[in-house]
Amino acid sequence: MADDDPLEDYEERVSPFVERFAADLTEAGMQRMASRVFACLLTSDDGALTSAELSERLQASPAAISGAVRYLSQVGMVSRQRDPGSRRERYQLHHDVWYTTLLNRDQVLNRWLVTLNAGAEAIGTDTPGGRRVRESAEFLEFMRKGLEDLLKRWQSRPP
Amino acid sequence: MADDDPLEDYEERVSPFVERFAADLTEAGMQRMASRVFACLLTSDDGALTSAELSERLQASPAAISGAVRYLSQVGMVSRQRDPGSRRERYQLHHDVWYTTLLNRDQVLNRWLVTLNAGAEAIGTDTPGGRRVRESAEFLEFMRKGLEDLLKRWQSRPP
DNA sequence: CGCTCATTTCACAAATTTGTGAAGTTAAGG
DNA sequence: CCTTAACTTCACAAATTTGTGAAATGAGCG
């Protein structure tokens, strides 16, 4: 039998998932509150909630929500919208959050590649260490390109 | 003109790369000292150094090195070897560090998938939130599989 | 033009992470 | 066995991160 009270329903069925998935994300390096906010948005009807709603569901202060959203906004996972004629803000998951997030991953890889290639140069590829650094760059470039292709393939996948 | 003193050479040419790449890794979520140790090993002749060598190059205490190596060993990036007849231990980068590290990444993705699929079930795919969670899992499964294929392709690449 | 409410910023306390020196452990070498 | 070198563990101090309440900001509404 389904539960009719939305908040109670959240606590019983949704919250366990939110907290567990947030833990997964945190373990992988994301800030704790940002992980919780992201996971919570993921489970919402429109992929969007107000600060007050997040605050209630996550039992966290508005300040904490604000900080988390600022971070998620900076890394392009969430956009802030204003219901016209309201002073409430809605924090909306980017439509293709996962897709765009992995695109960002690609950029991170690119920074690594710059560092590695410059490093190989500085150390000198006439040394074993320099060569290992160069080979690392080659492997990561292979993966970066592959990731890029994968993302393209996802975009043009049959519906 | 090349520098003949190994340590001086390290400080001038190698250390800047080690510190910068370690910073890249740390930013991506790896422990700071573990990042430094990993980057340092990457630049070494054999991909292996003793605790004393790491300690000197990184200007860190043996205790810090020990902790970092324990972590790197746990996540399978470094193996500890014993030169027979010596009481020194060598911390050796796994031959295909990058490859195996990305394989681990695959495992992380798998954990996420378990969480997401269980979550979709619990929330109910008759709700928008549940569906969004399910779709997240589908996307990540696509990427996981693609990553797996990519790694296979790397292994069987022409030399 | 204020008034008011939603959000942000700030200062701070709590919790966590990080690295160190010192003591402890283990194993090679006499 | 006993010494000693090499690493690990432990207890703690420093630094960083995290989240809170309270004050400040600013956008809509009258």
Side-chain angles (χ1 to χ4, degrees), chain A residues 116-138, chain B residues 14 17 41-45:
Chain A
L116 286 165
N117 283 320
E121 210 56 42
I123 299 170
T125 38
D126 54 341
T127 70
R131 276 195 294 279
R132 187 175 303 97
V133 172
R134 173 76 74 207
E135 282 155 18
S136 300
E138 280 161 8
Chain B
V14 183
F17 162 75
L41 287 175
L42 208 60
T43 64
S44 67
D45 280 0

Side-chain angles (χ1 to χ4, degrees), chain A residues 42-60:
Chain A
L42 207 60
T43 64
S44 66
D45 280 358
D46 305 325
L49 293 168
T50 65
S51 176
E53 289 166 328
L54 284 166
S55 199
E56 175 166 42
R57 296 189 185 195
L58 299 176
Q59 299 285 312

Side-chain angles (χ1 to χ4, degrees), chain B residues 51 63 66 80 87-89 91:
Chain B
S51 175
S66 173
R80 342 164 69 111
R87 56 187 86 170
R88 292 242 184 82
E89 217 156 43
Y91 304 125

Side-chain angles (χ1 to χ4, degrees), chain B residues 141-158:
Chain B
E141 170 58 18
F142 177 85
M143 297 308 292
R144 194 204 57 71
K145 185 65 175 65
L147 178 63
E148 201 171 76
D149 291 347
L150 256 184
L151 288 169
K152 281 211 192 83
R153 212 157 357 120
W154 173 263
Q155 267 193 323
S156 61
R157 98 211 96 107

